[in-house]
């Protein structure tokens, strides 16, 4: 008696479970290599979120899902990392000195041009490599002490 394949909705549900780590394919359960569902499994395995427990990278950026089978996480400004606007305003408010507000006039600060900023003194490669070299024989030329001299004390 021939087996009847899974329906599309059953495959989608199985792939969502696989992407979450709740399902693993046993022996003979994977679809044929050229089928639509095998291509979808390859997309899940190549997805940056697959096997990653965190939703954010170390820099606070969300890890994107490229396979569409992982659950979508809404962005939270408090969890968006150190580059979030809420975090920056809280830092700037905490680091601002408490000064009584008095009306002051603002003056324009001088702006440095790009050529002035990039006109730093250049060091040549020969100057950097002109470090005195010590040979290996000089380093190993330490006075040798015999065993009899050491035990004589």
């Amino acid at each position: 008696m021939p087996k009847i394949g899974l329906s599309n909705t059953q495959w989608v549900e199985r792939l969502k479970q696989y992407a979450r780590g709740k399902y693993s394919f046993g022996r003979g359960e994977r679809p044929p290599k050229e089928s639509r569902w095998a291509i979808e499994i390859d997309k899940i395995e190549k997805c940056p979120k697959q096997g990653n427990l965190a939703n954010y990278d170390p820099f606070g950026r969300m890890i994107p899902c490229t396979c569409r089978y992982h659950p979508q996480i809404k962005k939270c400004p408090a969890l968006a990392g150190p580059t979030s606007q809420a975090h920056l305003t809280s830092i700037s408010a905490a680091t601002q000195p408490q000064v009584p507000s008095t009306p002051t006039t603002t003056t324009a600060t001088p702006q440095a041009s790009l050529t002035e900023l990039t006109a730093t003194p250049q060091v040549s490669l020969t100057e950097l490599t002109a470090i005195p070299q010590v040979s290996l024989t000089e380093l190993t030329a330490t006075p040798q002490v015999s065993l009899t001299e050491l035990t004589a004390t």
Side-chain angles (χ1 to χ4, degrees):
M1 185 162 184
K3 291 184 178 180
I4 299 174
L6 297 176
S7 68
N8 287 345
T9 55
Q10 290 173 326
W11 270 114
V12 169
E13 187 58 35
R14 184 173 286 185
L15 292 180
K16 284 182 181 179
Q17 290 176 354
Y18 178 68
R20 290 184 189 122
K22 304 288 184 192
Y23 182 82
S24 61
F25 290 100
R27 184 175 182 182
E29 291 182 342
R30 283 188 175 253
K33 290 185 179 183
E34 299 300 319
S35 71
R36 169 187 175 196
W37 301 112
I39 294 169
E40 294 295 318
I41 291 172
D42 287 339
K43 284 182 186 177
I44 293 172
E45 290 172 349
K46 292 177 184 176
C47 181
K49 271 198 166 183
Q50 183 65 14
N52 195 350
L53 299 176
N55 291 318
Y56 297 96
D57 67 0
F59 301 108
R61 296 178 298 217
M62 278 188 71
I63 298 173
C65 173
T66 58
C67 67
R68 302 181 334 261
Y69 288 102
H70 291 97
Q72 295 298 320
I73 305 296
K74 294 182 180 179
K75 285 188 177 183
C76 178
L79 298 176
T83 58
S84 71
Q85 188 62 32
H87 182 73
L88 292 177
T89 36
S90 67
I91 288 176
S92 64
T95 58
Q96 291 291 330
Q98 299 298 327
V99 190
S101 61
T102 58
T104 59
T105 59
T106 58
T107 59
T109 57
Q111 297 290 328
S113 68
L114 182 61
T115 55
E116 292 172 358
L117 292 175
T118 57
T120 57
Q122 300 295 323
V123 179
S124 68
L125 185 59
T126 55
E127 290 175 295
L128 289 175
T129 57
I131 300 171
Q133 300 294 322
V134 179
S135 68
L136 185 60
T137 56
E138 292 174 11
L139 290 175
T140 57
T142 57
Q144 300 295 325
V145 179
S146 68
L147 186 60
T148 56
E149 292 174 1
L150 289 175
T151 57
T153 58

